[in-house]
Amino acid sequence: MNALVARLRAGLPAEAVLTDPGITRSYANDMASFCAAGSPAAVVLPRTVEQVQHVMRTATALRVPVVPQGARTGLSGAANASDGSIVLSLTKMDRILEISAVDRIAVVEPGVVNAVLSRAVAEQGLYYPPDPSSWEQCTIGGNIGTASGGLCCVKYGVTAEYVLGLDVVLADGRLLSTGRRTAKGVAGYDLTRLFVGSEGSLGIVVRAVLGLRPAPPEQRALAAEFPSAAAACDAVCAIMERGHAPALLELMDRTSVRAVNALTHMGLPESTEALLLAAFDTPDPGPDLAAVGRICAEAGAAEVVPAEDAAESELLLQARRQALPALEALKSATMIDDVCVPRSRLADMIDGTAAIADKHDLTIGLSAHAGDGNTHPVVCFDPADADEARRARESFDEIMALGLELGGTITGEHGVGLLKREWLARELGPVGLELQRGVKAVFDPLGLLNPGKLF
Amino acid sequence: MNALVARLRAGLPAEAVLTDPGITRSYANDMASFCAAGSPAAVVLPRTVEQVQHVMRTATALRVPVVPQGARTGLSGAANASDGSIVLSLTKMDRILEISAVDRIAVVEPGVVNAVLSRAVAEQGLYYPPDPSSWEQCTIGGNIGTASGGLCCVKYGVTAEYVLGLDVVLADGRLLSTGRRTAKGVAGYDLTRLFVGSEGSLGIVVRAVLGLRPAPPEQRALAAEFPSAAAACDAVCAIMERGHAPALLELMDRTSVRAVNALTHMGLPESTEALLLAAFDTPDPGPDLAAVGRICAEAGAAEVVPAEDAAESELLLQARRQALPALEALKSATMIDDVCVPRSRLADMIDGTAAIADKHDLTIGLSAHAGDGNTHPVVCFDPADADEARRARESFDEIMALGLELGGTITGEHGVGLLKREWLARELGPVGLELQRGVKAVFDPLGLLNPGKLF
C-alpha cells in the first residue's frame, strides 16, 4: 500500500477509499466522447466535510492532483480522471439538510441528485427550476460545477441564479463559507458565483444554500410544425419580442424528430423541417398559447397543435427530452455541441450548422433551447472510419467558430472541461484568459484541483 | 501645472480635466454620512473608452490612486475621494448604445441614469427592474459598482441578475471584455459577476450588456395596518410561504410613517405600529390581493386597504419612497443601515432594532424591503451632541451585529465602502477575506483602484 493510500485511509473509513483498478477505472470518465481519461491512484467517497478536508490536506501535502466528481453525467470531460490523481466523488454526501418555505431556500450536500431535491421541495409547494436532461442522475454539486441549464432556462435561468451560498473546502483543506442565506447580499466580491461553473478547479463544494421558487401551475404546451428552421426562428423571435414568457421554448430539427420517432415510436410529424414546442406555466395559459399559436401561423407554421391537457403537454416534453439519446442511437459515436447565440441570430446558427453538415457530408441533428438561442448540434459519426471521424471533429469546431462569429459563446450550459479548452482561450481572449488564470492561482496556488480542465 | 495633470491633459480634452479645488471639492463625497473624504488631485470626465484607458495608464505610470464615481448617490462612502487621487467620473459616458426587444438586452455606457434607461426601454415594451430610490439620479455604472437593489427585488432580484456582459478598463489600461450578450453562457469563471458589487476596486466598467424583461402590467397595491412589527412580519412570512409573488412587499414602522406624513402631508395612518404595502403586477392581481388581504387580517391587521386603482397604488409607493428622506429630515444627521436577514428572522431584527433604540435613547426609524428581509434602520442624531453621536455609532454597529447573529448580512444592497469595512472583515471571516484580497491583487496588483474601500 503506497504512502498516498495509507495517508488517505488514516482519515477515512476503509470503504471510502477504493484502489482496485477494476473499480477505480469505472470512475475515469464522464459522458463526453473523445476526451482523454487517465487511471486514478485512488477513488475516495467521503461522507463528511472533515473527510473532504482530510483528502485535500493529504493531496496538498503529497502534491497529488484531485479530480472532483458528481454523477459523471457531464458532457465536456470535466470530471475525467488524470493519471495518478485522487478522484474525489461527492456522491455519498447526499443529504438534504433543510428546506424552508418561508425563506424559500434549501440547504443541501453536493451529492443530492437533482430530481431527488426537485421532488422533495415540490412536496412543500416549492420549485427548484434547473432541470438538465440528466436530472434523474446528476447531482447538485455537479450542476454547480458546470452551471447547468435545462429546459426551464428561458423563464427561470440557469443553476447560477439559484446558488446563494456555499461551503467550500479549499485546496489546502481550509473551509470557506461564502454567500448567504438571505434573499439579498452584497458584502464583498461575489466568490459564490465564481465557484458556479468553475468545474471543481477552485475548491470542493461541500454544502450549498439554494434559492427556491413557489411551485408554478402545471405546464400547458403546444407544438408547431414549420417548413424551415428560419420560419421557426422567426416565430421564436416574435414570441419573445412581443413579451411572452414561455416556461419552455424548444426546437427540434427533422433529423432529431425522426431519431426520436425511431427510438420511441412517438409518432411525431416527420414531414416537418422544424418542430417548435412552447409551454406556459401561468394560472391562465390560454391567452398566451393562443397568441403564440397565431404567431407561429403568421411565421409560416404548417400546423399548430395545442396539447389537449397536462398529460399531453408532458408527452411533448418527453419527446424533446429524448432528442439527445435518440441522436446518440443513430451512429456509434456522437459529439454534442452547446453553442449559444443571441436569439436574433438563431436562424443563422441553425442554417449555418446545416451547411457545415452538408459540406462535411455528415449527419448533424440539432435540438435547441430556442428561447435562449442555445443549440445542441449532435455530430453523428463512426469513429472506426478515420476520415469521417476527422470530418466530425472539424465540423464540431466549425460550429463553435460560427457561434463566436454570430456573437455567441462556445458553451451555454455544458461547460468547457477538456473538450473545449482551446476554444475557451479563443472566446476569452488573452486578457480574459490571463485574469482567469490569476483567479485560479489565488484559490489553488499549487494547481492541484482538476488540473488540465478549462484552461 | 504638475506632471499628473499635464499627462492627463495629453490624452483628454481640456474641459475633461478639472483641477480647480473649488470644483474638485464638490466631487469629494457620495451621500454617506461620516465617511472620510480627501482632496482629489484632479477630476476627469472622459467621454470614450480610449480616454478612460489613457487615465488608467497615466495612473499606473505615476502610481496615483483612482476613485471611480457615478452620480455619487451611494450610501457607504465607496465613491469618496482620497487625498491626491484622480476622481474618475463616468457621468459623461451616458449613451444608450442599443436596445433589442428580440434579444431582451440593452447595451449602455456606465453614466446612463437608471431612470433614463428605464424609460427608454419602457417605450419598447421592456422593463429594466432595478429601482434604487435614487433612480432619478444614480447611474448604471454606480448601480453595478454597488449591486444596487430597490423595491423590485422581492420579485425581480438585484442589479447583479441583469448584468450579462461588461467591458472593463483594467488598472493598467488594458481592455477586458467579459460575459456575453446571449441568454446563457458558462465559458470560464464568471468574472462579470465579480465586478458587480466590487465598488470600482477591480476595474472601470465602460460598457454593460444588461438583460431586460417584458414590461409587466401596472402594479396594484394594498396597505395593511398592524398593531406590531411582529404581526406584520408574520404576514410577510405567510405571504411568501403560501407562494405569492408580490412585485413589492414593504414595511414602514410608526416612526417612518409619521416622518413621511410630516414631510409630505400624505395622511398615512399614524396609529399603526407597522404599515405593510404589498403590490402585484400580474395580469389579474385580484385573487392575490384578496388572499394577501386575508393573510394580513389573520395575522392581526387592524385595517386592510386595497388601492382603488393604479394611481392610488402609485401614491402608496411614493409614500414608501419618501421614508428615507423623511427620516433624514427628522434630525440634523442620520446613519442608514442596510442589514438583510432571512425573512423568517425579520421580526427578531425589527424588534431587536427597537430595543437598541430604547437602550441608547435614540430615534431609529425603520423601513424594510420586508419580502427580502432587508431592513433600513435610520439612526437619527445630532452630531453636535458628542454623546448622542457616540450612541448613534454604537447603535449602528449593534444593528449589524444583530443582523449577523440572525444569520444575515451587513449589507443587502448599499455596499461596504468606507462605512462598513471593519464589518466586512467580520462577516467574511479570515479565510474569505484573504481570498478576496487575493482576487483584488489579480486585477489591481498596484492597489490603485479605489484604495481603502471594502477592505
Side-chain angles (χ1 to χ4, degrees), chain B residues 112-124:
Chain B
V112 172
V113 169
N114 181 299
V116 170
L117 176 66
S118 295
R119 284 192 277 263
V121 305
E123 276 175 27
Q124 303 196 28

PDB file of all heavy atoms in Angstrom, chain B residues 112-124:
ATOM      1  N   VAL B 112     -25.152  56.274 -17.926  1.00  0.00           N
ATOM      2  CA  VAL B 112     -26.597  56.377 -18.178  1.00  0.00           C
ATOM      3  C   VAL B 112     -27.341  56.361 -16.839  1.00  0.00           C
ATOM      4  O   VAL B 112     -27.083  55.504 -15.988  1.00  0.00           O
ATOM      5  CB  VAL B 112     -27.080  55.207 -19.060  1.00  0.00           C
ATOM      6  CG1 VAL B 112     -28.603  55.191 -19.161  1.00  0.00           C
ATOM      7  CG2 VAL B 112     -26.448  55.295 -20.441  1.00  0.00           C
ATOM      8  N   VAL B 113     -28.243  57.315 -16.666  1.00  0.00           N
ATOM      9  CA  VAL B 113     -29.029  57.374 -15.426  1.00  0.00           C
ATOM     10  C   VAL B 113     -30.075  56.254 -15.440  1.00  0.00           C
ATOM     11  O   VAL B 113     -30.700  55.997 -16.470  1.00  0.00           O
ATOM     12  CB  VAL B 113     -29.684  58.762 -15.283  1.00  0.00           C
ATOM     13  CG1 VAL B 113     -30.719  58.783 -14.158  1.00  0.00           C
ATOM     14  CG2 VAL B 113     -28.598  59.817 -15.040  1.00  0.00           C
ATOM     15  N   ASN B 114     -30.222  55.599 -14.314  1.00  0.00           N
ATOM     16  CA  ASN B 114     -31.147  54.472 -14.193  1.00  0.00           C
ATOM     17  C   ASN B 114     -32.532  54.797 -14.765  1.00  0.00           C
ATOM     18  O   ASN B 114     -33.079  54.042 -15.578  1.00  0.00           O
ATOM     19  CB  ASN B 114     -31.234  54.072 -12.709  1.00  0.00           C
ATOM     20  CG  ASN B 114     -32.146  52.882 -12.467  1.00  0.00           C
ATOM     21  OD1 ASN B 114     -33.328  52.945 -12.765  1.00  0.00           O
ATOM     22  ND2 ASN B 114     -31.606  51.799 -11.934  1.00  0.00           N
ATOM     23  N   ALA B 115     -33.103  55.925 -14.379  1.00  0.00           N
ATOM     24  CA  ALA B 115     -34.466  56.259 -14.818  1.00  0.00           C
ATOM     25  C   ALA B 115     -34.518  56.523 -16.318  1.00  0.00           C
ATOM     26  O   ALA B 115     -35.529  56.247 -16.973  1.00  0.00           O
ATOM     27  CB  ALA B 115     -34.985  57.478 -14.051  1.00  0.00           C
ATOM     28  N   VAL B 116     -33.442  57.069 -16.858  1.00  0.00           N
ATOM     29  CA  VAL B 116     -33.392  57.327 -18.303  1.00  0.00           C
ATOM     30  C   VAL B 116     -33.443  56.005 -19.062  1.00  0.00           C
ATOM     31  O   VAL B 116     -34.200  55.849 -20.038  1.00  0.00           O
ATOM     32  CB  VAL B 116     -32.115  58.127 -18.677  1.00  0.00           C
ATOM     33  CG1 VAL B 116     -31.924  58.185 -20.186  1.00  0.00           C
ATOM     34  CG2 VAL B 116     -32.175  59.522 -18.070  1.00  0.00           C
ATOM     35  N   LEU B 117     -32.668  55.046 -18.592  1.00  0.00           N
ATOM     36  CA  LEU B 117     -32.707  53.722 -19.218  1.00  0.00           C
ATOM     37  C   LEU B 117     -34.082  53.080 -19.039  1.00  0.00           C
ATOM     38  O   LEU B 117     -34.656  52.527 -19.986  1.00  0.00           O
ATOM     39  CB  LEU B 117     -31.627  52.807 -18.629  1.00  0.00           C
ATOM     40  CG  LEU B 117     -31.671  51.379 -19.167  1.00  0.00           C
ATOM     41  CD1 LEU B 117     -31.343  51.344 -20.653  1.00  0.00           C
ATOM     42  CD2 LEU B 117     -30.723  50.468 -18.392  1.00  0.00           C
ATOM     43  N   SER B 118     -34.602  53.172 -17.820  1.00  0.00           N
ATOM     44  CA  SER B 118     -35.892  52.534 -17.540  1.00  0.00           C
ATOM     45  C   SER B 118     -36.975  53.075 -18.465  1.00  0.00           C
ATOM     46  O   SER B 118     -37.789  52.320 -19.001  1.00  0.00           O
ATOM     47  CB  SER B 118     -36.287  52.759 -16.082  1.00  0.00           C
ATOM     48  OG  SER B 118     -35.363  52.105 -15.245  1.00  0.00           O
ATOM     49  N   ARG B 119     -36.971  54.397 -18.674  1.00  0.00           N
ATOM     50  CA  ARG B 119     -37.987  54.985 -19.551  1.00  0.00           C
ATOM     51  C   ARG B 119     -37.742  54.616 -21.014  1.00  0.00           C
ATOM     52  O   ARG B 119     -38.678  54.362 -21.770  1.00  0.00           O
ATOM     53  CB  ARG B 119     -38.028  56.500 -19.352  1.00  0.00           C
ATOM     54  CG  ARG B 119     -38.742  56.889 -18.051  1.00  0.00           C
ATOM     55  CD  ARG B 119     -39.052  58.382 -17.985  1.00  0.00           C
ATOM     56  NE  ARG B 119     -37.899  59.135 -17.517  1.00  0.00           N
ATOM     57  CZ  ARG B 119     -37.704  59.524 -16.248  1.00  0.00           C
ATOM     58  NH1 ARG B 119     -38.589  59.214 -15.310  1.00  0.00           N
ATOM     59  NH2 ARG B 119     -36.644  60.214 -15.917  1.00  0.00           N
ATOM     60  N   ALA B 120     -36.466  54.578 -21.411  1.00  0.00           N
ATOM     61  CA  ALA B 120     -36.156  54.256 -22.812  1.00  0.00           C
ATOM     62  C   ALA B 120     -36.590  52.833 -23.154  1.00  0.00           C
ATOM     63  O   ALA B 120     -37.132  52.581 -24.233  1.00  0.00           O
ATOM     64  CB  ALA B 120     -34.654  54.430 -23.072  1.00  0.00           C
ATOM     65  N   VAL B 121     -36.356  51.893 -22.252  1.00  0.00           N
ATOM     66  CA  VAL B 121     -36.752  50.512 -22.559  1.00  0.00           C
ATOM     67  C   VAL B 121     -38.268  50.352 -22.451  1.00  0.00           C
ATOM     68  O   VAL B 121     -38.862  49.577 -23.205  1.00  0.00           O
ATOM     69  CB  VAL B 121     -35.998  49.466 -21.695  1.00  0.00           C
ATOM     70  CG1 VAL B 121     -34.490  49.635 -21.827  1.00  0.00           C
ATOM     71  CG2 VAL B 121     -36.436  49.473 -20.256  1.00  0.00           C
ATOM     72  N   ALA B 122     -38.892  51.123 -21.553  1.00  0.00           N
ATOM     73  CA  ALA B 122     -40.348  51.048 -21.418  1.00  0.00           C
ATOM     74  C   ALA B 122     -41.035  51.450 -22.723  1.00  0.00           C
ATOM     75  O   ALA B 122     -42.076  50.899 -23.084  1.00  0.00           O
ATOM     76  CB  ALA B 122     -40.826  51.940 -20.272  1.00  0.00           C
ATOM     77  N   GLU B 123     -40.443  52.391 -23.431  1.00  0.00           N
ATOM     78  CA  GLU B 123     -41.006  52.798 -24.726  1.00  0.00           C
ATOM     79  C   GLU B 123     -41.074  51.648 -25.724  1.00  0.00           C
ATOM     80  O   GLU B 123     -41.828  51.703 -26.690  1.00  0.00           O
ATOM     81  CB  GLU B 123     -40.166  53.926 -25.342  1.00  0.00           C
ATOM     82  CG  GLU B 123     -40.547  55.286 -24.809  1.00  0.00           C
ATOM     83  CD  GLU B 123     -39.619  56.368 -25.345  1.00  0.00           C
ATOM     84  OE1 GLU B 123     -39.058  56.195 -26.443  1.00  0.00           O
ATOM     85  OE2 GLU B 123     -39.443  57.372 -24.628  1.00  0.00           O
ATOM     86  N   GLN B 124     -40.225  50.635 -25.509  1.00  0.00           N
ATOM     87  CA  GLN B 124     -40.250  49.475 -26.393  1.00  0.00           C
ATOM     88  C   GLN B 124     -40.916  48.275 -25.726  1.00  0.00           C
ATOM     89  O   GLN B 124     -40.689  47.134 -26.122  1.00  0.00           O
ATOM     90  CB  GLN B 124     -38.828  49.125 -26.846  1.00  0.00           C
ATOM     91  CG  GLN B 124     -38.150  50.292 -27.539  1.00  0.00           C
ATOM     92  CD  GLN B 124     -36.926  49.858 -28.319  1.00  0.00           C
ATOM     93  OE1 GLN B 124     -36.835  48.725 -28.789  1.00  0.00           O
ATOM     94  NE2 GLN B 124     -35.976  50.765 -28.451  1.00  0.00           N
TER      95      GLN B 124
END
